[in-house]
Amino acid sequence: MVEMETAELETDLSLFKYDNLEQLPARYRDLGNAERTDRIEAALEELGDDVVILGHNYQRREIVEHADFVGDSYGLSKRAAETDAEYVIFGGVTFMAESADIITDDDQTVILPSMEASCPMAGMAEALQVDAAWAEITEATPEADIIPITYMNSYADLKAFCASQGGLVCTSSNAHEAFEYAFDKGDKVLFLPDKHLGENTAYRLGMEDEIAEWDPWDPDGKDAADVVENDVILWDGYCQVHERFREEHVDRVREANPGAKVIVHPECRREVVEAADEAGSTATIRETIAEADPGDTWAIGTEIHLTEHLQRWYPDVNVVPLCGDACMDCNAMRQIDPNYLTWVLEELVEGRERNVVEVAPEEKELAGLALDRMLEI
Ligand code: 13P
Ligand code: SF4
């Protein structure tokens, strides 16, 4: 088991990376829909090309309706890299805004409307923890080259750590390519933090017999010497929104909707992905529904806001949530309240920058290298 006392720095290992240092002023708390929309539009008009709004597919309707681009984590990173707007307003969670800050030029500013939008899964692999665990596994197999891959859903310090060890970042749309890159360079992969995406990717590559799941702090779990017997070592992180889906939901939705097809996100459990017809990133889910024939039924196993957007965007397709009312919204994504969007935009009009996300310079270069390696695969 890893001895955390040996770590040189202290951390509270909080699941939340940023404190909500900026409180929404009281006058913004009770804005009505119509007034808010007018004010957002007026601010955007005033700011013109200085501002671009990027929105993840899980954002609320009031955010995606104002976004210049809506997409998955990979698409949003590409857009962040391409834009020359002075301000990138990020409708997403902190790790996405951090990545945008890393990818954009130094004279561009990334703003996250609410600093409370922290993905719990990203908090499940703190760089300090990983560093300590890394020492254990590299010591247990000194001859082997282990390549760390971190899912985009992680903080900049972990991305930097992965780059420093020859590794890279991946998203749900290129995890298999990241594995191929890693096995080209080394002998084993440490995949962080999402065990389900890691397991689903290993299956896709025919490596199902090579998987070891690892929680270095579980006194009853495997130790480092055991896990390095395998080529794919999975950190014990997960997304609670996606873990909720079960194989029975797939059976039940098919019973209730004869002929229905099922598509799920690869953060779902292995059994669910296996039972579904398709699995893919949020952009793949959207493309699949966009290409469906009118009258087709698709059950969606992912965050509920995206399912609701799909119902609105593609009314000719019968889009149903995979587990009905039990489907969850992502609490972190929901923190991006449109009142916060109004506030940060109006503050910009007044020349004040609020909720700026800035990655520490010492992490920026290496984390950027890990992201560049992903954008190149
Ligand atoms: P995508 O990269 O597929 O958009 O997924 C991001 C995410 O957080 C899923 O929970
Ligand atoms: Fe994180 Fe899950 Fe929310 Fe995605 S859906 S941002 S993995 S908590």
Side-chain angles (χ1 to χ4, degrees):
M1 243 211 329
V2 172
E3 299 284 338
M4 274 310 286
E5 301 84 79
T6 60
E8 279 173 17
L9 299 169
E10 286 188 358
T11 177
D12 62 2
L13 302 180
S14 161
L15 289 185
F16 295 96
K17 184 75 171 178
Y18 292 91
D19 293 326
N20 183 28
L21 299 176
E22 299 282 358
Q23 292 297 318
L24 187 65
R27 65 185 188 283
Y28 281 91
R29 289 188 196 147
D30 301 312
L31 296 181
N33 256 342
E35 182 191 355
R36 186 171 52 215
T37 303
D38 288 350
R39 286 172 61 169
I40 290 174
E41 281 171 4
L44 287 173
E45 174 99 30
E46 184 88 20
L47 294 162
D49 293 344
D50 289 350
V51 160
V52 69
I53 300 183
L54 302 182
H56 186 265
N57 284 317
Y58 294 162
Q59 288 286 290
R60 301 160 180 232
R61 178 176 180 173
E62 303 96 311
I63 303 295
V64 298
E65 282 180 349
H66 293 294
D68 297 286
F69 175 78
V70 179
D72 67 355
S73 307
Y74 182 72
L76 291 166
S77 310
K78 299 259 310 177
R79 285 297 166 125
E82 283 160 18
T83 185
D84 49 17
E86 190 178 346
Y87 293 102
V88 176
I89 313 286
F90 213 101
V93 289
T94 41
F95 71 79
M96 296 178 181
E98 277 191 346
S99 298
D101 179 51
I102 294 163
I103 287 170
T104 49
D105 292 339
D106 288 346
D107 57 359
Q108 293 175 288
T109 301
V110 175
I111 288 178
L112 188 65
S114 166
M115 289 300 203
E116 282 179 305
S118 288
C119 163
M121 186 213 280
M124 290 177 189
E126 289 274 356
L128 275 175
Q129 293 176 318
V130 175
D131 196 17
W134 182 256
E136 294 271 317
I137 47 172
T138 47
E139 213 172 278
T141 179
E143 304 297 311
D145 270 336
I146 308 176
I147 307 291
I149 305 176
T150 184
Y151 190 23
M152 181 67 106
N153 300 30
S154 57
Y155 291 110
D157 48 2
L158 182 57
K159 292 182 171 88
F161 172 83
C162 288
S164 73
Q165 304 298 335
L168 75 165
V169 173
C170 74
T171 70
S172 58
S173 60
N174 54 28
H176 61 287
E177 280 138 342
F179 268 56
E180 283 164 357
Y181 170 97
F183 281 112
D184 250 16
K185 279 183 69 172
D187 312 305
K188 297 179 190 293
V189 159
L190 171 64
F191 188 79
L192 311 132
D194 184 12
K195 62 181 172 188
H196 298 301
L197 177 62
E199 184 179 11
N200 288 320
T201 307
Y203 266 77
R204 181 169 169 179
L205 295 172
M207 302 188 75
E208 58 272 22
D209 298 331
E210 290 300 333
I211 301 170
E213 200 177 303
W214 191 34
D215 174 357
W217 289 274
D218 177 358
D220 304 320
K222 292 181 181 153
D223 62 23
D226 293 330
V227 294
V228 296
E229 294 296 314
N230 299 77
D231 288 347
V232 179
I233 303 164
L234 304 177
W235 195 259
D236 190 17
Y238 57 89
C239 164
Q240 57 195 16
V241 174
H242 290 91
E243 270 211 340
R244 171 161 292 216
F245 297 107
R246 301 300 179 123
E247 209 183 333
E248 300 86 74
H249 295 132
V250 178
D251 297 339
R252 273 190 235 150
V253 90
R254 286 198 176 120
E255 256 169 55
N257 302 274
K261 290 203 171 154
V262 178
I263 185 162
V264 300
H265 196 276
E267 285 177 18
C268 291
R269 297 163 192 272
R270 175 72 209 140
E271 318 84 79
V272 174
V273 169
E274 212 149 79
D277 297 283
E278 309 276 349
S281 76
T282 58
T284 302
I285 294 174
R286 180 175 182 170
E287 279 155 26
T288 304
I289 305 310
E291 285 163 14
D293 290 328
D296 283 357
T297 298
W298 277 93
I300 313 291
T302 194
E303 201 270 350
I304 192 67
H305 283 101
L306 175 55
T307 307
E308 289 170 359
H309 298 326
L310 295 171
Q311 288 169 333
R312 209 171 55 251
W313 290 335
Y314 307 105
D316 293 343
V317 182
N318 182 28
V319 173
V320 295
L322 179 55
C323 60
D325 291 344
C327 287
M328 287 171 71
D329 71 347
C330 168
N331 185 41
M333 291 279 180
R334 183 158 35 84
Q335 300 306 319
I336 307 296
D337 184 293
N339 291 346
Y340 272 102
L341 178 63
T342 317
W343 173 56
V344 294
L345 289 173
E346 290 189 344
E347 287 292 289
L348 273 187
V349 170
E350 296 302 322
R352 291 187 289 269
E353 297 174 354
R354 299 289 186 180
N355 288 0
V356 173
V357 172
E358 235 177 331
V359 172
E362 64 274 16
E363 290 163 7
K364 213 168 180 174
E365 199 174 319
L366 274 174
L369 175 61
L371 282 161
D372 285 346
R373 285 181 183 150
M374 172 189 83
L375 293 169
E376 280 159 20
I377 55 175

